[in-house]
Amino acid sequence: MSPIISVSNLSKTYGSGFKALNNINLEINKGEIFALLGPNGAGKTTLISIICGIANPSQGKIAVAGHDIVSDYRAARSMIGLVPQELHTDAFESVWATVSFSRGLFGKPKNPAHIEKVLKDLSLWDKKDNKIVTLSGGMKRRVMIAKALSHEPQILFLDEPTAGVDVELRKGMWEVVRALQASGVTIILTTHYIEEAEEMADRIGVINKGEIILIENKTTLMQKLGRKQLTLQLQGRLDCVPPALAAYNLELSSDGRAVTYDYDTKGERTGITSLLSDLRNAGVRISDLDTRQSSLEDIFVSLVRAP
Ligand SMILES: Nc1ncnc2c1ncn2[C@@H]1O[C@H](COP(=O)(O)OP(=O)(O)O)[C@@H](O)[C@H]1O
Ligand SMILES: [Mg+2]
């Protein structure tokens, strides 16, 4: 399958001298939902701004359906819809006028049937004559998506579509995105929520400090991320892990007063129940326990360190 977007050796240094992107290589497949996952400041908005032609690359090449985004800007840009991180619309325009106007910006002839379909798909049809200012936050976000789809793009970028959005609204947004994919649109979304990437994406790219540190199918990546750690504080002190417990690969703390156990939250069984009973059988008494899930930060560290 040939990629619909291909980014090669892309770097970006801002005027301030700050290097926000360092040698990014990335291919997006037609029809997929790709999540660019990374903490704040990782370079997500910079990357998509460059692909969308809002910011200039310092080095490297980007092609959108074969069109170079610099030398063939108009053709490349017309294939793309962008829902930016910051929502801005003319509050006193109607939904219909706002969305129709956006289409005009791309030099496309009027197509009321298309605007109607977009508004219906996004459950905004009954609001078409409302002024934007009268809409709820979730509706405003959907108007932004409608604007981005007004010129019939094949690719939609959503920059942090659910940042600061409540759980209910987030789920609604996910449904909208899935429906768009089903209609044939390729979707690239950025997020700093692991949960969102996990829920939505076919593939995930992890970006940190301007570098893509991993690109993987969602299923594979989630197996890596799904690990948790159980720490057991012991009543006594151990010199070594009892041989009977070897199968658990426990790690003994340097003071001998705690053991940690790594387990997979996505696995069929965690092994915790049998671990606890085997510990008791081995005469090891526990005074306290505590579990922790790898944070995004830990995951980055472990991914960067991985050979
Ligand atoms: N116009 C700019 N000039 C200088 N530095 C910038 C500019 N825009 C973003 N940056 C810096 O580039 C880095 C990446 O920013 P951004 O792409 O917005 O990250 P993200 O979207 O992942 O949160 C940040 O350190 C940010 O401060
Ligand atoms: Mg951003």
Side-chain angles (χ1 to χ4, degrees), residues 40 44-46 85 159-160 190:
N40 286 324
K44 303 181 294 296
T45 298
T46 302
Q85 190 167 358
D159 196 1
E160 308 253 0
T190 75

Side-chain angles (χ1 to χ4, degrees), residues 25-54:
N25 287 286
L26 177 66
E27 292 192 333
I28 305 293
N29 302 319
K30 191 166 163 36
E32 75 176 336
I33 299 182
F34 185 89
L36 192 61
L37 174 67
N40 286 324
K44 303 181 294 296
T45 298
T46 302
L47 176 55
I48 71 175
S49 300
I50 294 173
I51 300 175
C52 297
I54 293 164

Side-chain angles (χ1 to χ4, degrees), residues 7-11 21-26 47 207 210-212:
V7 176
S8 17
N9 306 316
L10 173 69
S11 293
L21 295 176
N22 186 17
N23 199 34
I24 302 282
N25 287 286
L26 177 66
L47 176 55
I207 184 169
E211 298 192 10
I212 297 227

